[in-house]
Amino acid sequence: MFGPQVPSVTADQVDPAVYLLDVREPDEWEAGHAPGAHHLPMMEIPARMAEVPTDGEVVVVCRAGGRSGQVVAYLMNNGWDNVRNLDGGMQSWAALGKDVVTDNGQPARVL
């Protein structure tokens, strides 16, 4: 989607040990997210970049891959070389049957 300048991985390539950074809006996160993911809405990235690890693999995810691709490009332009975009986002994650959870006990879904 973004060409060679934005590295991507598919949902089936995501190692369970990676730092999964979910940049969706709070309502999307509350509806359902990957277990162990870290939530940092896209619009808060500039003010909270120090929270994004600079070592180890970081996979950035949104609903379909567009916003997360923008975040990966932004982080790369600011010195991160360990970030990857999750191609297809949470939609592809859920389509593969990977776990989606909520923190409130409600049935999980991808918005």
Side-chain angles (χ1 to χ4, degrees), residues 2-95:
F2 292 97
Q5 71 277 15
V6 175
S8 297
V9 296
T10 59
D12 59 340
Q13 295 172 320
V14 176
D15 186 296
V18 304
Y19 188 96
L20 190 60
L21 179 63
D22 192 320
V23 297
R24 296 175 301 151
E25 294 298 314
D27 62 324
E28 294 173 289
W29 169 266
E30 290 169 14
H33 53 270
H38 303 268
H39 186 224
L40 182 54
M42 178 181 180
M43 298 310 290
E44 295 179 25
I45 294 286
R48 297 175 59 189
M49 285 176 23
E51 296 176 38
V52 181
T54 56
D55 58 349
E57 186 177 7
V58 175
V59 175
V60 185
V61 61
C62 66
R63 182 183 41 170
R67 288 173 286 176
S68 54
Q70 293 175 33
V71 169
V72 168
Y74 180 81
L75 290 169
M76 290 178 72
N77 286 335
N78 283 279
W80 273 256
D81 62 1
N82 61 324
V83 290
R84 310 285 177 265
N85 184 36
L86 180 59
D87 189 32
M90 283 301 297
Q91 291 176 333
S92 66
W93 181 274

